[in-house]
Amino acid sequence: MDQPIIELRGVVKSFGPVDVLKGVNFTAYPGKITALVGDNGAGKSTLIKGLAGVQPYDDGEVLFNGEPVNLHTPRDAAHLGIEVVYQDLALCDNLDIVQNMFLGREELAAGTFDEGVMEREAAETLRQLSVRTVKSVRQKVSSLSGGQRQTVAIARSVLKKAKVVILDEPTAALGVAQTAQVLALVKRLAEQGVSVVIISHNLVDVFEVADYISVLYLGQMVASVETSKTTNEDVIGYITGAKTYEGEHA
Ligand SMILES: Nc1ncnc2c1ncn2[C@@H]1O[C@H](COP(=O)(O)OP(=O)(O)OP(=O)(O)O)[C@@H](O)[C@H]1O
Ligand SMILES: [Mg+2]
């Protein structure tokens, strides 16, 4: 098997007396989609906030392409090319698509940005991802549907040349057609070599897109399996604690 781009070994996170991550191992591979599943409160968002550097782990090891790294700040994560698309997306409603896609980029800080270049880059990124439902990149984000917003947020991570894109419940609020669009986008990201980690409560979505499934149960990684080697029923068993995974962790 390929070298993981992300490898977590024994990560621990507590909030006061509450142990939320109890020595978690996790891997993600370039060009592959890993679904992170588990019941409400299992620790999924806490795990990815550690990867994003916004809420550092208390203990444990993080390897990036096999090398130990520190993830103490969001800057550390961004520097490695780890981008997280949060459920609330953090898009600015009053700005248009181009402005949102370039928000916070160094080009802006340096004052060297060029509206025409940004507009072309934004349009080109959406085109590469085969996004055709957005009429104009000068449309205000407030006028976009939930699926289109998700698309803009994901495209922004692509524009940043992310190597790892983590999506926290990207389809939770979407209808059937929009969900299909976002899942197709997720697949294209992986085809371009990006390592994608997707948190989802929807096992139909998970089985449709994921190469690997990692299951958190009360702060412990109870199963990490290849999707093709497991079943919906087994995964539900791991999520609820009704079934114990006996195999090797993928
Ligand atoms: N900042 C915090 N302070 C205290 N407790 C926290 C904090 N963040 C999370 N927790 C607790 O950690 C546990 C795991 O929360 P987390 O948000 O990681 O779960 P989750 O798996 O993402 O759940 P969901 O599916 O509902 O989003 C929960 O019991 C939660 O109450
Ligand atoms: Mg969560």
Side-chain angles (χ1 to χ4, degrees):
M1 187 172 310
D2 287 346
Q3 156 128 317
I5 185 164
I6 296 280
E7 186 170 356
L8 302 180
R9 291 187 186 161
V11 299
V12 170
K13 181 74 187 176
S14 304
F15 295 104
V18 185
D19 299 329
V20 175
L21 300 176
K22 304 169 186 168
V24 170
N25 297 339
F26 176 75
T27 48
Y29 297 89
K32 301 286 184 200
I33 301 171
T34 304
L36 180 59
V37 302
D39 222 336
N40 296 117
K44 304 179 297 297
S45 294
T46 305
L47 191 72
I48 64 147
K49 282 177 189 162
L51 273 175
V54 297
Q55 226 172 54
Y57 305 124
D58 299 332
D59 205 353
E61 250 192 308
V62 184
L63 306 185
F64 190 83
N65 285 329
E67 299 289 325
V69 291
N70 288 320
L71 288 175
H72 295 317
T73 66
R75 190 178 280 261
D76 292 339
H79 186 69
L80 293 170
I82 301 172
E83 291 291 333
V84 181
V85 179
Y86 293 99
Q87 195 160 6
D88 56 15
L89 296 181
L91 294 179
C92 293
D93 266 356
N94 57 332
L95 300 180
D96 68 27
I97 293 174
V98 179
Q99 290 166 324
N100 266 286
M101 281 175 68
F102 280 87
L103 206 61
R105 290 269 306 260
E106 290 77 67
E107 284 89 324
L108 294 173
T112 56
F113 68 98
D114 174 314
E115 284 291 331
V117 170
M118 290 200 302
E119 197 171 309
R120 276 198 301 282
E121 265 195 58
E124 172 60 18
T125 303
L126 290 171
R127 196 194 58 74
Q128 268 174 21
L129 295 167
S130 305
V131 174
R132 295 193 193 83
T133 64
V134 173
K135 283 188 210 76
S136 158
V137 290
R138 285 300 175 190
Q139 226 177 316
K140 285 241 161 59
V141 160
S142 55
S143 71
L144 298 179
S145 72
Q148 289 170 331
R149 283 159 181 262
Q150 195 72 49
T151 299
V152 171
I154 295 170
R156 180 167 62 183
S157 64
V158 172
L159 201 59
K160 289 184 188 167
K161 310 226 183 309
K163 296 193 178 75
V164 180
V165 174
I166 304 171
L167 305 157
D168 197 349
E169 307 220 29
T171 60
L174 304 184
V176 176
Q178 292 193 344
T179 295
Q181 275 174 26
V182 169
L183 294 182
L185 181 54
V186 165
K187 285 184 194 166
R188 281 194 291 275
L189 265 188
E191 280 162 12
Q192 294 183 0
V194 174
S195 175
V196 182
V197 178
I198 179 169
I199 295 180
S200 179
H201 284 281
N202 186 329
L203 289 186
V204 175
D205 291 1
V206 165
F207 273 85
E208 189 189 323
V209 297
D211 299 294
Y212 298 95
I213 302 175
S214 291
V215 188
L216 268 177
Y217 177 73
L218 298 177
Q220 288 182 309
M221 196 62 86
V222 292
S224 310
V225 291
E226 258 182 83
T227 309
S228 59
K229 293 184 180 158
T230 189
T231 63
N232 197 300
E233 198 189 339
D234 280 351
V235 172
I236 291 172
Y238 306 141
I239 290 172
T240 58
K243 191 174 167 72
T244 307
Y245 177 65
E246 308 283 0
E248 289 226 344
H249 285 255

Short mmCIF file of all heavy atoms in Angstrom, two decimals, residues 2-63:
data_model
loop_
_atom_site.label_atom_id
_atom_site.label_comp_id
_atom_site.label_asym_id
_atom_site.label_seq_id
_atom_site.Cartn_x
_atom_site.Cartn_y
_atom_site.Cartn_z
N ASP A 2 0.32 2.32 -0.55
CA ASP A 2 1.03 3.60 -0.60
C ASP A 2 1.31 4.11 0.81
O ASP A 2 0.67 3.71 1.77
CB ASP A 2 0.18 4.66 -1.30
CG ASP A 2 0.10 4.42 -2.79
OD1 ASP A 2 0.91 3.62 -3.30
OD2 ASP A 2 -0.77 5.03 -3.43
N GLN A 3 2.24 5.03 0.86
CA GLN A 3 2.51 5.73 2.12
C GLN A 3 1.34 6.66 2.43
O GLN A 3 0.91 7.42 1.56
CB GLN A 3 3.78 6.53 1.91
CG GLN A 3 3.90 7.70 2.82
CD GLN A 3 5.24 7.67 3.54
OE1 GLN A 3 5.69 6.63 4.00
NE2 GLN A 3 5.88 8.79 3.62
N PRO A 4 0.84 6.63 3.66
CA PRO A 4 -0.23 7.58 4.01
C PRO A 4 0.30 9.01 3.95
O PRO A 4 1.47 9.23 4.29
CB PRO A 4 -0.60 7.22 5.45
CG PRO A 4 0.09 5.95 5.77
CD PRO A 4 1.21 5.76 4.79
N ILE A 5 -0.54 9.94 3.54
CA ILE A 5 -0.13 11.35 3.61
C ILE A 5 -0.34 11.85 5.03
O ILE A 5 0.43 12.65 5.54
CB ILE A 5 -0.86 12.22 2.55
CG1 ILE A 5 -0.31 13.65 2.57
CG2 ILE A 5 -2.37 12.19 2.71
CD1 ILE A 5 -0.66 14.48 1.36
N ILE A 6 -1.39 11.33 5.68
CA ILE A 6 -1.67 11.67 7.08
C ILE A 6 -1.66 10.39 7.90
O ILE A 6 -2.27 9.40 7.51
CB ILE A 6 -3.10 12.28 7.23
CG1 ILE A 6 -3.22 13.60 6.50
CG2 ILE A 6 -3.49 12.41 8.71
CD1 ILE A 6 -2.66 14.77 7.23
N GLU A 7 -0.94 10.43 9.00
CA GLU A 7 -1.01 9.31 9.93
C GLU A 7 -1.05 9.86 11.36
O GLU A 7 -0.14 10.58 11.77
CB GLU A 7 0.20 8.38 9.74
CG GLU A 7 0.08 7.15 10.59
CD GLU A 7 1.13 6.08 10.27
OE1 GLU A 7 1.93 6.26 9.32
OE2 GLU A 7 1.16 5.06 10.99
N LEU A 8 -2.11 9.54 12.05
CA LEU A 8 -2.22 9.93 13.46
C LEU A 8 -1.95 8.69 14.30
O LEU A 8 -2.49 7.61 14.01
CB LEU A 8 -3.63 10.45 13.78
CG LEU A 8 -4.11 11.65 12.97
CD1 LEU A 8 -5.53 12.04 13.41
CD2 LEU A 8 -3.17 12.83 13.16
N ARG A 9 -1.10 8.87 15.31
CA ARG A 9 -0.80 7.74 16.21
C ARG A 9 -1.11 8.12 17.64
O ARG A 9 -0.47 9.02 18.20
CB ARG A 9 0.68 7.37 16.11
CG ARG A 9 1.06 6.77 14.78
CD ARG A 9 2.49 6.29 14.83
NE ARG A 9 2.94 5.85 13.53
CZ ARG A 9 4.21 5.73 13.18
NH1 ARG A 9 5.16 6.05 14.04
NH2 ARG A 9 4.54 5.31 11.98
N GLY A 10 -2.10 7.48 18.18
CA GLY A 10 -2.41 7.64 19.60
C GLY A 10 -2.76 9.06 20.01
O GLY A 10 -2.33 9.51 21.07
N VAL A 11 -3.54 9.77 19.17
CA VAL A 11 -3.85 11.14 19.57
C VAL A 11 -4.90 11.18 20.68
O VAL A 11 -5.85 10.39 20.72
CB VAL A 11 -4.26 12.08 18.38
CG1 VAL A 11 -3.12 12.19 17.38
CG2 VAL A 11 -5.53 11.64 17.73
N VAL A 12 -4.67 12.12 21.58
CA VAL A 12 -5.47 12.25 22.80
C VAL A 12 -5.96 13.68 22.89
O VAL A 12 -5.21 14.62 22.58
CB VAL A 12 -4.57 11.93 24.03
CG1 VAL A 12 -5.28 12.29 25.33
CG2 VAL A 12 -4.16 10.47 24.02
N LYS A 13 -7.22 13.86 23.26
CA LYS A 13 -7.75 15.21 23.50
C LYS A 13 -8.78 15.15 24.62
O LYS A 13 -9.71 14.32 24.58
CB LYS A 13 -8.40 15.76 22.24
CG LYS A 13 -8.96 17.16 22.38
CD LYS A 13 -7.85 18.19 22.42
CE LYS A 13 -8.37 19.58 22.73
NZ LYS A 13 -7.28 20.56 22.86
N SER A 14 -8.60 16.00 25.61
CA SER A 14 -9.57 16.08 26.70
C SER A 14 -10.03 17.51 26.87
O SER A 14 -9.28 18.45 26.61
CB SER A 14 -8.92 15.62 28.02
OG SER A 14 -8.40 14.33 27.87
N PHE A 15 -11.27 17.67 27.27
CA PHE A 15 -11.77 18.98 27.69
C PHE A 15 -12.06 18.87 29.17
O PHE A 15 -13.03 18.22 29.56
CB PHE A 15 -13.03 19.35 26.92
CG PHE A 15 -12.79 19.53 25.44
CD1 PHE A 15 -13.16 18.56 24.53
CD2 PHE A 15 -12.16 20.69 24.96
CE1 PHE A 15 -12.93 18.74 23.17
CE2 PHE A 15 -11.93 20.86 23.61
CZ PHE A 15 -12.32 19.88 22.71
N GLY A 16 -11.20 19.46 30.00
CA GLY A 16 -11.35 19.28 31.44
C GLY A 16 -11.29 17.79 31.76
O GLY A 16 -10.38 17.09 31.30
N PRO A 17 -12.27 17.32 32.49
CA PRO A 17 -12.24 15.90 32.89
C PRO A 17 -12.76 14.97 31.79
O PRO A 17 -12.72 13.75 31.95
CB PRO A 17 -13.20 15.87 34.09
CG PRO A 17 -14.15 17.00 33.84
CD PRO A 17 -13.41 18.05 33.07
N VAL A 18 -13.23 15.54 30.67
CA VAL A 18 -13.86 14.69 29.64
C VAL A 18 -12.84 14.28 28.58
O VAL A 18 -12.32 15.13 27.85
CB VAL A 18 -15.03 15.45 28.96
CG1 VAL A 18 -15.76 14.52 28.00
CG2 VAL A 18 -16.00 15.99 30.00
N ASP A 19 -12.56 12.99 28.51
CA ASP A 19 -11.64 12.48 27.49
C ASP A 19 -12.42 12.24 26.20
O ASP A 19 -13.25 11.33 26.14
CB ASP A 19 -11.00 11.16 27.96
CG ASP A 19 -10.20 11.36 29.24
OD1 ASP A 19 -9.65 12.47 29.41
OD2 ASP A 19 -10.13 10.42 30.05
N VAL A 20 -12.14 13.08 25.20
CA VAL A 20 -12.91 13.00 23.96
C VAL A 20 -12.22 12.12 22.92
O VAL A 20 -12.87 11.36 22.20
CB VAL A 20 -13.16 14.42 23.40
CG1 VAL A 20 -13.85 14.35 22.06
CG2 VAL A 20 -14.00 15.22 24.39
N LEU A 21 -10.89 12.19 22.83
CA LEU A 21 -10.13 11.29 21.96
C LEU A 21 -9.18 10.50 22.86
O LEU A 21 -8.36 11.08 23.57
CB LEU A 21 -9.34 12.08 20.91
CG LEU A 21 -10.16 12.95 19.95
CD1 LEU A 21 -9.23 13.75 19.02
CD2 LEU A 21 -11.14 12.11 19.13
N LYS A 22 -9.31 9.17 22.79
CA LYS A 22 -8.59 8.33 23.77
C LYS A 22 -7.51 7.49 23.10
O LYS A 22 -7.57 6.27 23.14
CB LYS A 22 -9.61 7.42 24.47
CG LYS A 22 -10.76 8.19 25.13
CD LYS A 22 -11.85 7.23 25.58
CE LYS A 22 -13.06 7.98 26.10
NZ LYS A 22 -14.21 7.09 26.28
N GLY A 23 -6.58 8.15 22.41
CA GLY A 23 -5.51 7.38 21.77
C GLY A 23 -5.94 6.88 20.41
O GLY A 23 -6.01 5.67 20.16
N VAL A 24 -6.21 7.82 19.51
CA VAL A 24 -6.79 7.47 18.21
C VAL A 24 -5.71 7.35 17.13
O VAL A 24 -4.84 8.21 17.01
CB VAL A 24 -7.83 8.55 17.79
CG1 VAL A 24 -8.25 8.36 16.34
CG2 VAL A 24 -9.04 8.51 18.73
N ASN A 25 -5.78 6.27 16.36
CA ASN A 25 -4.95 6.11 15.16
C ASN A 25 -5.83 6.38 13.95
O ASN A 25 -6.99 5.98 13.91
CB ASN A 25 -4.42 4.68 15.04
CG ASN A 25 -3.51 4.31 16.19
OD1 ASN A 25 -2.96 5.18 16.86
ND2 ASN A 25 -3.36 3.02 16.40
N PHE A 26 -5.24 7.03 12.95
CA PHE A 26 -6.02 7.34 11.74
C PHE A 26 -5.05 7.53 10.59
O PHE A 26 -3.98 8.11 10.76
CB PHE A 26 -6.82 8.63 11.98
CG PHE A 26 -7.58 9.11 10.77
CD1 PHE A 26 -8.75 8.48 10.36
CD2 PHE A 26 -7.12 10.20 10.03
CE1 PHE A 26 -9.44 8.92 9.24
CE2 PHE A 26 -7.81 10.65 8.91
CZ PHE A 26 -8.98 10.00 8.51
N THR A 27 -5.44 7.04 9.40
CA THR A 27 -4.60 7.26 8.22
C THR A 27 -5.46 7.75 7.07
O THR A 27 -6.65 7.43 6.98
CB THR A 27 -3.91 5.96 7.75
OG1 THR A 27 -4.89 4.93 7.69
CG2 THR A 27 -2.78 5.55 8.66
N ALA A 28 -4.84 8.54 6.19
CA ALA A 28 -5.49 8.96 4.94
C ALA A 28 -4.43 8.93 3.85
O ALA A 28 -3.25 9.24 4.10
CB ALA A 28 -6.08 10.36 5.10
N TYR A 29 -4.86 8.54 2.66
CA TYR A 29 -3.94 8.31 1.54
C TYR A 29 -4.17 9.30 0.41
O TYR A 29 -5.31 9.72 0.18
CB TYR A 29 -4.13 6.89 1.01
CG TYR A 29 -3.80 5.84 2.02
CD1 TYR A 29 -4.79 5.35 2.89
CD2 TYR A 29 -2.51 5.36 2.15
CE1 TYR A 29 -4.47 4.40 3.86
CE2 TYR A 29 -2.19 4.41 3.11
CZ TYR A 29 -3.17 3.93 3.96
OH TYR A 29 -2.86 3.01 4.92
N PRO A 30 -3.08 9.64 -0.32
CA PRO A 30 -3.25 10.54 -1.47
C PRO A 30 -4.15 9.91 -2.53
O PRO A 30 -4.04 8.71 -2.79
CB PRO A 30 -1.82 10.72 -2.01
CG PRO A 30 -0.94 9.81 -1.25
CD PRO A 30 -1.69 9.20 -0.12
N GLY A 31 -5.02 10.71 -3.11
CA GLY A 31 -5.89 10.23 -4.18
C GLY A 31 -7.00 9.30 -3.70
O GLY A 31 -7.69 8.70 -4.51
N LYS A 32 -7.16 9.18 -2.40
CA LYS A 32 -8.20 8.30 -1.84
C LYS A 32 -9.17 9.09 -0.96
O LYS A 32 -8.80 10.12 -0.40
CB LYS A 32 -7.58 7.20 -0.98
CG LYS A 32 -6.61 6.31 -1.70
CD LYS A 32 -7.31 5.36 -2.64
CE LYS A 32 -6.30 4.40 -3.29
NZ LYS A 32 -6.84 3.80 -4.52
N ILE A 33 -10.37 8.57 -0.85
CA ILE A 33 -11.39 9.18 -0.02
C ILE A 33 -11.58 8.32 1.23
O ILE A 33 -11.86 7.12 1.12
CB ILE A 33 -12.73 9.30 -0.79
CG1 ILE A 33 -12.53 10.14 -2.06
CG2 ILE A 33 -13.82 9.89 0.12
CD1 ILE A 33 -13.73 10.13 -3.01
N THR A 34 -11.37 8.92 2.39
CA THR A 34 -11.58 8.22 3.65
C THR A 34 -12.78 8.83 4.36
O THR A 34 -12.80 10.03 4.62
CB THR A 34 -10.35 8.33 4.56
OG1 THR A 34 -9.21 7.84 3.85
CG2 THR A 34 -10.54 7.51 5.85
N ALA A 35 -13.77 8.01 4.66
CA ALA A 35 -14.94 8.49 5.40
C ALA A 35 -14.68 8.31 6.88
O ALA A 35 -14.17 7.27 7.31
CB ALA A 35 -16.19 7.73 4.98
N LEU A 36 -14.97 9.36 7.64
CA LEU A 36 -14.87 9.28 9.10
C LEU A 36 -16.29 9.28 9.64
O LEU A 36 -17.03 10.25 9.44
CB LEU A 36 -14.08 10.49 9.61
CG LEU A 36 -13.85 10.60 11.11
CD1 LEU A 36 -13.10 9.39 11.66
CD2 LEU A 36 -13.06 11.88 11.42
N VAL A 37 -16.68 8.16 10.23
CA VAL A 37 -18.06 8.03 10.70
C VAL A 37 -18.09 7.73 12.20
O VAL A 37 -17.08 7.37 12.80
CB VAL A 37 -18.83 6.94 9.92
CG1 VAL A 37 -18.84 7.24 8.43
CG2 VAL A 37 -18.26 5.56 10.18
N GLY A 38 -19.26 7.89 12.77
CA GLY A 38 -19.44 7.66 14.20
C GLY A 38 -20.65 8.43 14.69
O GLY A 38 -21.07 9.40 14.04
N ASP A 39 -21.18 8.01 15.81
CA ASP A 39 -22.40 8.62 16.32
C ASP A 39 -22.14 10.05 16.79
O ASP A 39 -20.99 10.47 16.92
CB ASP A 39 -22.93 7.79 17.49
CG ASP A 39 -24.45 7.64 17.42
OD1 ASP A 39 -25.10 8.49 16.79
OD2 ASP A 39 -24.97 6.66 17.98
N ASN A 40 -23.19 10.80 17.06
CA ASN A 40 -23.06 12.16 17.59
C ASN A 40 -22.20 12.11 18.85
O ASN A 40 -22.42 11.26 19.72
CB ASN A 40 -24.43 12.76 17.95
CG ASN A 40 -25.32 12.93 16.74
OD1 ASN A 40 -26.37 12.32 16.65
ND2 ASN A 40 -24.90 13.74 15.79
N GLY A 41 -21.22 13.02 18.91
CA GLY A 41 -20.38 13.07 20.10
C GLY A 41 -19.25 12.07 20.13
O GLY A 41 -18.51 12.00 21.12
N ALA A 42 -19.07 11.30 19.05
CA ALA A 42 -18.02 10.28 19.04
C ALA A 42 -16.62 10.89 19.03
O ALA A 42 -15.65 10.24 19.43
CB ALA A 42 -18.19 9.37 17.83
N GLY A 43 -16.52 12.15 18.54
CA GLY A 43 -15.22 12.81 18.50
C GLY A 43 -14.72 13.15 17.11
O GLY A 43 -13.56 13.56 16.93
N LYS A 44 -15.58 13.02 16.11
CA LYS A 44 -15.17 13.24 14.71
C LYS A 44 -14.68 14.67 14.48
O LYS A 44 -13.61 14.90 13.94
CB LYS A 44 -16.35 12.94 13.75
CG LYS A 44 -16.92 11.54 13.90
CD LYS A 44 -18.08 11.31 12.95
CE LYS A 44 -19.29 12.20 13.18
NZ LYS A 44 -19.96 12.02 14.49
N SER A 45 -15.51 15.64 14.88
CA SER A 45 -15.13 17.04 14.65
C SER A 45 -13.88 17.39 15.47
O SER A 45 -13.01 18.13 15.00
CB SER A 45 -16.28 17.99 15.01
OG SER A 45 -17.36 17.79 14.11
N THR A 46 -13.78 16.85 16.67
CA THR A 46 -12.60 17.10 17.50
C THR A 46 -11.35 16.56 16.81
O THR A 46 -10.30 17.20 16.82
CB THR A 46 -12.79 16.45 18.89
OG1 THR A 46 -14.00 16.94 19.46
CG2 THR A 46 -11.63 16.76 19.81
N LEU A 47 -11.48 15.37 16.20
CA LEU A 47 -10.33 14.78 15.49
C LEU A 47 -9.86 15.69 14.37
O LEU A 47 -8.66 15.94 14.21
CB LEU A 47 -10.70 13.40 14.95
CG LEU A 47 -9.52 12.58 14.43
CD1 LEU A 47 -8.66 12.08 15.59
CD2 LEU A 47 -9.98 11.39 13.61
N ILE A 48 -10.81 16.24 13.59
CA ILE A 48 -10.38 17.06 12.46
C ILE A 48 -9.96 18.46 12.89
O ILE A 48 -9.14 19.08 12.22
CB ILE A 48 -11.43 17.10 11.33
CG1 ILE A 48 -12.70 17.75 11.78
CG2 ILE A 48 -11.67 15.74 10.72
CD1 ILE A 48 -13.33 18.49 10.65
N LYS A 49 -10.49 18.95 14.00
CA LYS A 49 -10.02 20.25 14.48
C LYS A 49 -8.55 20.17 14.90
O LYS A 49 -7.82 21.15 14.81
CB LYS A 49 -10.88 20.75 15.64
CG LYS A 49 -12.22 21.32 15.16
CD LYS A 49 -13.09 21.75 16.31
CE LYS A 49 -14.49 22.10 15.82
NZ LYS A 49 -15.46 22.10 16.94
N GLY A 50 -8.14 19.00 15.34
CA GLY A 50 -6.72 18.79 15.65
C GLY A 50 -5.88 18.81 14.38
O GLY A 50 -4.82 19.43 14.32
N LEU A 51 -6.39 18.18 13.32
CA LEU A 51 -5.68 18.16 12.04
C LEU A 51 -5.62 19.55 11.42
O LEU A 51 -4.70 19.88 10.68
CB LEU A 51 -6.40 17.23 11.05
CG LEU A 51 -6.01 15.76 11.08
CD1 LEU A 51 -6.90 14.96 10.14
CD2 LEU A 51 -4.55 15.60 10.70
N ALA A 52 -6.63 20.37 11.73
CA ALA A 52 -6.68 21.72 11.18
C ALA A 52 -5.82 22.68 12.01
O ALA A 52 -5.65 23.84 11.63
CB ALA A 52 -8.13 22.22 11.16
N GLY A 53 -5.33 22.21 13.14
CA GLY A 53 -4.51 23.06 14.00
C GLY A 53 -5.30 24.07 14.83
O GLY A 53 -4.71 24.90 15.50
N VAL A 54 -6.62 24.01 14.76
CA VAL A 54 -7.42 25.00 15.50
C VAL A 54 -7.61 24.58 16.96
O VAL A 54 -7.85 25.41 17.83
CB VAL A 54 -8.81 25.27 14.86
CG1 VAL A 54 -8.65 25.86 13.49
CG2 VAL A 54 -9.67 24.04 14.81
N GLN A 55 -7.50 23.27 17.21
CA GLN A 55 -7.68 22.75 18.57
C GLN A 55 -6.67 21.61 18.71
O GLN A 55 -7.01 20.46 18.52
CB GLN A 55 -9.10 22.20 18.70
CG GLN A 55 -9.84 22.59 19.93
CD GLN A 55 -11.28 22.14 19.84
OE1 GLN A 55 -11.59 20.96 19.60
NE2 GLN A 55 -12.18 23.06 20.02
N PRO A 56 -5.40 21.97 18.99
CA PRO A 56 -4.33 20.96 18.96
C PRO A 56 -4.59 19.79 19.90
O PRO A 56 -5.25 19.95 20.93
CB PRO A 56 -3.10 21.75 19.42
CG PRO A 56 -3.43 23.17 19.16
CD PRO A 56 -4.91 23.31 19.34
N TYR A 57 -4.09 18.62 19.49
CA TYR A 57 -4.19 17.43 20.35
C TYR A 57 -3.35 17.65 21.60
O TYR A 57 -2.35 18.36 21.58
CB TYR A 57 -3.69 16.20 19.59
CG TYR A 57 -4.37 15.95 18.27
CD1 TYR A 57 -3.64 15.86 17.09
CD2 TYR A 57 -5.76 15.81 18.19
CE1 TYR A 57 -4.26 15.63 15.87
CE2 TYR A 57 -6.38 15.58 16.97
CZ TYR A 57 -5.63 15.50 15.82
OH TYR A 57 -6.24 15.28 14.61
N ASP A 58 -3.74 16.97 22.69
CA ASP A 58 -2.97 17.05 23.93
C ASP A 58 -1.74 16.14 23.86
O ASP A 58 -0.71 16.42 24.46
CB ASP A 58 -3.80 16.59 25.14
CG ASP A 58 -5.04 17.47 25.34
OD1 ASP A 58 -4.98 18.65 24.95
OD2 ASP A 58 -6.05 16.95 25.86
N ASP A 59 -1.88 15.05 23.11
CA ASP A 59 -0.80 14.07 23.06
C ASP A 59 -0.97 13.23 21.80
O ASP A 59 -2.01 13.26 21.16
CB ASP A 59 -0.85 13.17 24.31
CG ASP A 59 0.52 12.59 24.63
OD1 ASP A 59 1.46 12.77 23.84
OD2 ASP A 59 0.62 11.94 25.69
N GLY A 60 0.09 12.49 21.47
CA GLY A 60 0.05 11.63 20.29
C GLY A 60 0.93 12.21 19.20
O GLY A 60 1.51 13.28 19.36
N GLU A 61 1.03 11.46 18.10
CA GLU A 61 1.95 11.82 17.03
C GLU A 61 1.19 12.08 15.74
O GLU A 61 0.23 11.37 15.42
CB GLU A 61 2.88 10.63 16.75
CG GLU A 61 4.31 10.85 17.17
CD GLU A 61 5.19 9.74 16.58
OE1 GLU A 61 4.86 8.55 16.77
OE2 GLU A 61 6.18 10.09 15.93
N VAL A 62 1.64 13.09 14.99
CA VAL A 62 1.09 13.35 13.66
C VAL A 62 2.22 13.20 12.65
O VAL A 62 3.25 13.88 12.76
CB VAL A 62 0.51 14.78 13.54
CG1 VAL A 62 -0.13 14.98 12.16
CG2 VAL A 62 -0.49 15.07 14.65
N LEU A 63 2.04 12.31 11.68
CA LEU A 63 3.02 12.16 10.60
C LEU A 63 2.40 12.67 9.31
O LEU A 63 1.23 12.40 9.02
CB LEU A 63 3.43 10.70 10.41
CG LEU A 63 3.94 9.94 11.62
CD1 LEU A 63 4.40 8.54 11.21
CD2 LEU A 63 5.09 10.68 12.28
#
